[in-house]
């Protein structure tokens, strides 16, 4: 017959096993971040390659593809290490589903690169394909943050996810700015899109600031190059101002200061990944030491003389066990409450995803078109995308057949 | 190398494994409900036994203890069947912790009964001890509802938990009414407590109504005895009205109509437990059939001629897999959103538990005293207990050392 103390210890062991699984997931998130960064560079290089009709960056592209393939191999190795056998993995259904989406996208990468090499698609379409792939990889990070069972680790993952997404939007902004400066002209819709990219980045970095550990925030502050940021803001102002003609010579300046900023973000991302790894290790060590303490305390108490009233333990032992089980129960409940609060930071993405799904289902749109439709509505109404998504969802409740 | 489709199928298998675990937890919840009902009867019998100085219900008590022991054995067998070995159980840390709390309380039951047999404690103290035990058993049900991974099953568990808690409050109301009618007098604090029990029941049954399946709600409607309920309301009105003297002859009438109502609630609880079991079975069968369909579709598509562009599958297969993985990802995300919404129904209990924990830690109160303090504040301020608990928590943020 299992006793109260055996369940007490089993609960602690489960907690350790959950933390160990989280540590593995965190490794996967780290590898995903490195791969995304390399893909973002490949995307930028392809843009120049296709825009120059294959005359520029041909060799850089091949080198970058090689780097990407190596990092893809590391991500695939992490996927491979996931336990998909007979034992059910915690939240496996959701994580594996996201992995399936990513693997499906990766399987199409060779064909995409072959078309780029043949210059068989436009720079715009190539960029869109890379954006989709990066978004799917971010889905794995999102899932890890949303299903983590420890509030501290979950908070670090939420910070990481928002930072990675902010950095991806910064990369999209770099590409947009480079192309409009190069073209020497920007239309009203381009300016709207630019402002939208700036605002979305700010929202992501705000969540990052709310959730990240102080050490990571200091690294973020220290990584900023004030001169590059001032130049970035100046060029943003020129691009988004009412004048529509742009000086093509600014293209190079824009690309450089945007790149300085993105490389600094990449360095912070490394600090985030390291912090996440150390946090998992510290939490595991802490849980293990608490388990040892509990065991030692139970062993010491068990040597107490047994009471004569038929109770299985002496009175001190019984009171101590009661204290321990109550304390543990309360601690786990408090952790679960904290977890709910952290996960609320992810609500915005969920609302947008759900509105997209609704548009896809009811209006037979592709995922891209659904997102574009939401973004267009947001820009037209001068509202945040999440507010438009919320409006689409509430409309759907009233008129099930006709959203939007 | 594992492919997108292998992760797609692994995700589905995880979902099935999670549902099977939920089915086992649901059995545990059912057994817990039957045991709680028997303990509630034992509590009522002990009340009469101790109140009559051992002259009444001595034999009934022994028979009821026997029934309780048999049902306790069933609950313990369900605990025993929980996997506490090397494999981590989903949410094991929280569930096992609750089980440890329950087992610890059950270990003290023999000593409690021995004291009751010797009439070594008051009816009031005996009742309080049973209330504590029932509350800990309800903690297991609460945990199952809060950690279930399927929104439909989770909704049924939330309905079940609130129904069981409402029924327990109805039992406490029966005991309170019986004792004040028997005494022939009720003071202002007794009336406050009575109104509080009525309001808390209503809150529980409201959540039950919001969450329960239509069939269960019909069973609940059909189980109500209008004559007994009319009598119950009449006697409630007499007990809670401004006159403080009561006719002791009404004690018997009160006990009878309250018992008719509680037995009807017990019958509905059986319907709830059956519905929960059937729901788990149906969800498992559905997930299994979807897994079979996916496998069959993949096998059919795999026989399609392979494309010459180096892609691992023909174009139809690739599009179909993409559709399947995207659909599955969206479905899981939607399920997770629904789950969040269902769990919000459990927030009130969490707030009260947290406020209790705070009072226990900062004011060195026992769990009982902390709850009583909250209840007293609620009664004095004529507010709901959850609002007072919320106020205690927000006060704690401002003055960490001095809550309440």
């Amino acid at each position: 017959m299992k006793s109260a103390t055996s369940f007490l210890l089993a609960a602690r062991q489960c907690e350790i096993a959950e933390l160990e699984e989280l540590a593995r997931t965190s490794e996967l998130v780290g590898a995903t971040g490195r791969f995304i960064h390399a893909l973002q560079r490949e995307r930028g290089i392809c843009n120049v390659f296709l825009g120059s009709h294959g005359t520029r960056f041909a060799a850089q592209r091949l080198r970058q593809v090689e780097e990407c393939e190596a990092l893809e191999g590391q991500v695939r190795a992490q996927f491979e290490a996931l336990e998909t056998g007979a034992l059910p993995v915690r939240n496996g259904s959701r994580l594996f589903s996201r992995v399936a989406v990513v693997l499906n996208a990766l399987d199409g990468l060779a064909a995409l690169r072959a078309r780029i090499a043949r210059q068989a698609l436009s720079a715009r379409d190539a960029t869109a394909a890379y954006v989709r792939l990066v978004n799917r990889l971010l889905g794995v990070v999102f899932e890890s943050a949303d299903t983590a069972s420890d509030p501290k680790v979950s908070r670090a993952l939420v910070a990481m996810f928002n930072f990675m997404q902010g950095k991806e939007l910064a990369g999209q902004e770099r590409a947009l700015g480079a192309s409009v400066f190069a073209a020497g002209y920007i239309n009203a819709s381009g300016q709207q899109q630019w402002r939208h990219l700036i605002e979305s980045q700010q929202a992501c970095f705000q969540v990052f600031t709310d959730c990240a550990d102080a050490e990571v925030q200091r690294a973020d502050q220290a990584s900023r190059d004030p001169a590059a940021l001032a130049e970035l803001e100046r060029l943003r102002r020129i691009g988004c101002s009412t004048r529509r003609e742009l000086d093509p010579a600014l293209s190079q300046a824009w690309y450089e200061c945007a790149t300085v900023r993105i490389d600094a973000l990449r360095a912070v991302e490394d600090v985030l990944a390291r912090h996440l790894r150390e946090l998992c290790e510290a939490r595991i060590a802490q849980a293990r030491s608490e388990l040892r303490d509990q065991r030692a305390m139970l062993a010491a108490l068990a040597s107490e003389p047994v009471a004569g009233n038929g109770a299985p333990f002496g009175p001190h032992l019984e009171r101590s066990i009661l204290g321990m089980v109550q304390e543990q129960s309360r601690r786990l409940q408090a952790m679960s409450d904290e977890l709910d609060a952290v996960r609320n930071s992810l609500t915005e993405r969920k609302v947008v995803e759900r509105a997209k799904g609704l548009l896809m289902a009811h209006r037979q749109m592709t995922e891209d078109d659904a997102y574009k439709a939401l973004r267009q509505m947001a820009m037209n109404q001068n509202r945040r995308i999440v507010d438009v998504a919320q409006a689409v969802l509430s409309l759907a409740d009233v008129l099930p057949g006709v959203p939007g």
Side-chain angles (χ1 to χ4, degrees), chain A residues 28 32 75-76 78-80 82 84 92-107 136-137 139-141 143-144:
Chain A
L28 170 59
T32 304
V75 170
R76 281 184 184 266
Q78 294 280 350
F79 288 165
E80 206 67 19
L82 291 171
T84 56
S93 53
R94 290 173 58 188
L95 182 62
F96 293 170
S97 215
R98 298 279 185 176
V99 169
V101 171
V102 166
L103 282 175
N104 189 265
L106 289 180
D107 288 342
R136 276 165 199 170
L137 285 161
V140 172
V141 182
E143 207 56 57
S144 315

Coordinates of all heavy atoms in Angstrom, one line a residue, chain A residues 28 32 75-76 78-80 82 84 92-107 136-137 139-141 143-144:
Chain A
L28 N 16.0 22.7 -27.5 CA 15.4 22.8 -28.9 C 15.1 24.2 -29.2 O 15.3 24.7 -30.4 CB 14.1 21.9 -28.8 CG 13.1 22.0 -30.0 CD1 13.8 21.6 -31.3 CD2 11.9 21.2 -29.7
T32 N 16.6 26.3 -32.4 CA 15.7 26.9 -33.3 C 16.0 28.4 -33.5 O 16.0 28.9 -34.6 CB 14.3 26.8 -32.7 OG1 14.0 25.4 -32.5 CG2 13.2 27.3 -33.7
V75 N 18.7 21.3 -35.5 CA 17.3 21.4 -35.1 C 16.6 20.0 -35.3 O 15.9 19.5 -34.4 CB 16.5 22.5 -35.9 CG1 15.0 22.3 -35.6 CG2 17.0 23.8 -35.5
R76 N 16.9 19.4 -36.5 CA 16.4 18.1 -36.7 C 16.9 17.0 -35.7 O 16.1 16.1 -35.3 CB 16.7 17.6 -38.1 CG 15.9 18.2 -39.2 CD 16.2 17.6 -40.6 NE 15.5 18.2 -41.7 CZ 14.4 17.8 -42.2 NH1 13.8 16.7 -41.7 NH2 13.8 18.4 -43.2
Q78 N 17.5 17.7 -32.6 CA 16.7 17.9 -31.4 C 15.3 17.3 -31.6 O 14.8 16.7 -30.6 CB 16.6 19.4 -31.1 CG 17.9 20.1 -30.8 CD 18.2 19.9 -29.3 OE1 17.5 19.4 -28.5 NE2 19.5 20.3 -29.0
F79 N 14.7 17.4 -32.8 CA 13.4 16.8 -33.0 C 13.5 15.3 -32.8 O 12.7 14.6 -32.2 CB 12.9 17.1 -34.4 CG 12.5 18.5 -34.7 CD1 12.3 18.9 -36.0 CD2 12.2 19.3 -33.6 CE1 11.9 20.2 -36.2 CE2 11.8 20.6 -33.9 CZ 11.6 21.1 -35.2
E80 N 14.6 14.8 -33.4 CA 14.9 13.3 -33.4 C 14.9 12.8 -31.9 O 14.4 11.7 -31.6 CB 16.2 13.0 -34.1 CG 16.3 11.6 -34.7 CD 15.3 11.5 -35.8 OE1 14.8 12.5 -36.4 OE2 15.0 10.3 -36.1
L82 N 13.3 13.9 -29.4 CA 12.0 13.9 -28.7 C 11.5 12.5 -28.7 O 11.6 11.7 -29.6 CB 11.0 14.8 -29.5 CG 11.3 16.3 -29.4 CD1 10.4 17.1 -30.4 CD2 11.2 16.9 -28.0
T84 N 9.0 10.0 -29.1 CA 7.7 9.9 -29.7 C 7.2 8.4 -29.6 O 6.3 8.0 -30.3 CB 7.7 10.2 -31.2 OG1 8.7 9.5 -31.8 CG2 7.9 11.7 -31.4
G92 N 2.7 16.4 -25.4 CA 3.2 15.9 -26.7 C 2.3 16.2 -27.9 O 2.8 16.5 -28.9
S93 N 1.0 16.1 -27.6 CA 0.1 16.3 -28.8 C 0.3 17.7 -29.4 O 0.4 17.8 -30.6 CB -1.4 16.1 -28.3 OG -1.7 17.0 -27.2
R94 N 0.5 18.7 -28.6 CA 0.6 20.0 -29.2 C 2.0 20.3 -29.7 O 2.2 20.8 -30.9 CB 0.2 21.1 -28.1 CG -1.3 21.1 -27.9 CD -1.6 22.0 -26.7 NE -1.2 23.4 -27.0 CZ -1.3 24.4 -26.1 NH1 -1.8 24.1 -24.9 NH2 -0.9 25.6 -26.4
L95 N 3.0 19.9 -29.0 CA 4.4 20.1 -29.5 C 4.7 19.3 -30.7 O 5.2 19.9 -31.7 CB 5.4 19.7 -28.4 CG 6.9 19.9 -28.7 CD1 7.1 21.4 -28.9 CD2 7.8 19.4 -27.6
F96 N 4.3 18.0 -30.8 CA 4.5 17.2 -31.9 C 3.8 17.7 -33.2 O 4.3 17.6 -34.3 CB 4.1 15.8 -31.7 CG 4.9 15.1 -30.6 CD1 4.6 13.8 -30.1 CD2 6.1 15.7 -30.2 CE1 5.3 13.2 -29.1 CE2 6.9 15.0 -29.2 CZ 6.5 13.8 -28.7
S97 N 2.7 18.3 -32.9 CA 1.9 18.9 -34.0 C 2.6 20.0 -34.7 O 2.7 20.2 -35.9 CB 0.6 19.3 -33.4 OG -0.4 19.1 -34.3
R98 N 3.2 20.9 -33.8 CA 4.0 22.0 -34.3 C 5.2 21.5 -35.0 O 5.6 22.1 -36.0 CB 4.4 22.9 -33.2 CG 3.3 23.5 -32.4 CD 2.8 24.8 -33.1 NE 1.8 25.4 -32.3 CZ 1.2 26.5 -32.6 NH1 1.5 27.1 -33.7 NH2 0.3 27.1 -31.8
V99 N 5.8 20.5 -34.5 CA 7.0 19.9 -35.1 C 6.7 19.4 -36.5 O 7.4 19.6 -37.5 CB 7.7 18.8 -34.2 CG1 8.7 18.1 -35.0 CG2 8.2 19.4 -33.0
A100 N 5.5 18.7 -36.6 CA 5.1 18.2 -37.9 C 4.9 19.3 -38.9 O 5.3 19.2 -40.1 CB 3.8 17.4 -37.8
V101 N 4.4 20.5 -38.5 CA 4.2 21.6 -39.4 C 5.6 22.1 -39.8 O 5.8 22.4 -41.0 CB 3.5 22.8 -38.6 CG1 3.5 24.0 -39.5 CG2 2.0 22.4 -38.3
V102 N 6.5 22.2 -38.9 CA 7.9 22.6 -39.3 C 8.6 21.7 -40.2 O 9.1 22.1 -41.3 CB 8.8 22.8 -38.0 CG1 10.2 23.0 -38.4 CG2 8.3 24.0 -37.2
L103 N 8.5 20.4 -39.9 CA 9.2 19.4 -40.8 C 8.6 19.4 -42.2 O 9.3 19.3 -43.2 CB 9.0 18.0 -40.2 CG 10.0 17.7 -39.0 CD1 9.7 16.3 -38.5 CD2 11.4 17.8 -39.5
N104 N 7.3 19.6 -42.3 CA 6.6 19.7 -43.6 C 7.2 20.9 -44.3 O 7.5 20.8 -45.5 CB 5.1 19.9 -43.3 CG 4.4 19.7 -44.6 OD1 4.1 20.7 -45.2 ND2 4.1 18.5 -45.1
A105 N 7.4 22.0 -43.6 CA 7.9 23.2 -44.3 C 9.4 23.0 -44.7 O 9.8 23.4 -45.8 CB 7.8 24.4 -43.4
L106 N 10.1 22.3 -43.8 CA 11.6 22.1 -44.1 C 11.7 21.2 -45.3 O 12.7 21.3 -46.1 CB 12.3 21.5 -42.9 CG 12.5 22.4 -41.7 CD1 13.2 21.6 -40.6 CD2 13.3 23.6 -42.1
D107 N 10.8 20.2 -45.5 CA 10.8 19.3 -46.6 C 10.7 20.1 -48.0 O 11.1 19.6 -49.0 CB 9.7 18.3 -46.5 CG 10.1 17.2 -45.4 OD1 11.2 17.2 -45.0 OD2 9.2 16.5 -45.0
R136 N 6.7 29.4 -38.7 CA 6.4 28.0 -38.3 C 7.4 27.6 -37.2 O 7.0 26.9 -36.2 CB 6.4 27.0 -39.4 CG 5.0 27.1 -40.0 CD 4.8 26.5 -41.4 NE 3.6 27.1 -41.9 CZ 3.2 27.0 -43.1 NH1 3.9 26.4 -44.0 NH2 2.1 27.6 -43.5
L137 N 8.7 27.9 -37.4 CA 9.7 27.6 -36.4 C 9.3 28.4 -35.1 O 9.5 27.8 -34.0 CB 11.1 28.0 -36.9 CG 11.7 27.1 -37.9 CD1 12.8 27.8 -38.7 CD2 12.2 25.8 -37.3
G139 N 6.5 28.9 -34.1 CA 5.4 28.2 -33.5 C 5.8 27.2 -32.5 O 5.2 26.9 -31.5
V140 N 7.0 26.5 -32.7 CA 7.5 25.6 -31.8 C 7.9 26.3 -30.5 O 7.6 25.8 -29.4 CB 8.7 24.8 -32.4 CG1 9.4 24.0 -31.3 CG2 8.3 24.0 -33.6
V141 N 8.5 27.5 -30.6 CA 8.9 28.2 -29.4 C 7.7 28.7 -28.6 O 7.6 28.6 -27.4 CB 9.8 29.5 -29.8 CG1 10.2 30.2 -28.6 CG2 11.0 29.0 -30.7
E143 N 4.8 27.2 -28.6 CA 4.2 26.0 -27.9 C 5.0 25.7 -26.6 O 4.4 25.4 -25.6 CB 4.2 24.8 -28.9 CG 3.1 23.8 -28.6 CD 1.8 24.5 -28.7 OE1 1.4 25.1 -29.7 OE2 1.1 24.4 -27.7
S144 N 6.3 25.8 -26.7 CA 7.1 25.5 -25.5 C 6.7 26.4 -24.4 O 6.6 26.0 -23.2 CB 8.6 25.6 -25.8 OG 8.9 25.0 -27.0

